[in-house]
Amino acid sequence: MSDAVVARIEANPKCQELKRKRSTFGWALCILMFIVYYGYIALIAFDKAFLAQPIGDGVITLGIPIGMGVIIFTILITGIYVRRANGEYDTLTAEILKESVK
């Protein structure tokens, strides 16, 4: 792309809106992931007895389903971001390019 097209894209208010929305949403999901992951790690570090509690009469402890929950949470927030990126962000990007390349 030429410098003029890039300048028009960057000057487009929708581009600023896209950057703001994507950044805000990305940081929100990042903070949620940090809380969940480091919360689990802190639980491992500071309350091993809680995680070591067996579930029922079996050998599975409480730490295993909580750890699986962390993995499932990661997959969920990744899916949420991809869905939003493929919908709202791609639509905004297409509008920006359509307006700027004219």
Side-chain angles (χ1 to χ4, degrees), residues 13-80:
K14 288 183 181 178
C15 182
Q16 303 305 319
E17 176 188 357
L18 175 63
K19 287 180 186 178
R20 182 183 46 78
K21 283 183 175 183
R22 192 178 56 202
S23 178
T24 303
F25 190 62
W27 277 110
L29 292 180
C30 183
I31 290 168
L32 280 174
M33 189 63 229
F34 276 134
I35 290 169
V36 169
Y37 179 76
Y38 285 109
Y40 182 63
I41 297 301
L43 203 54
I44 292 170
F46 299 114
D47 201 356
K48 290 180 182 118
F50 174 73
L51 293 175
Q53 294 176 23
I55 297 175
D57 295 331
V59 295
I60 296 177
T61 64
L62 195 56
I64 292 173
I66 293 175
M68 289 299 293
V70 171
I71 294 167
I72 291 168
F73 178 77
T74 303
I75 293 167
L76 279 172
I77 65 170
T78 301
I80 290 168

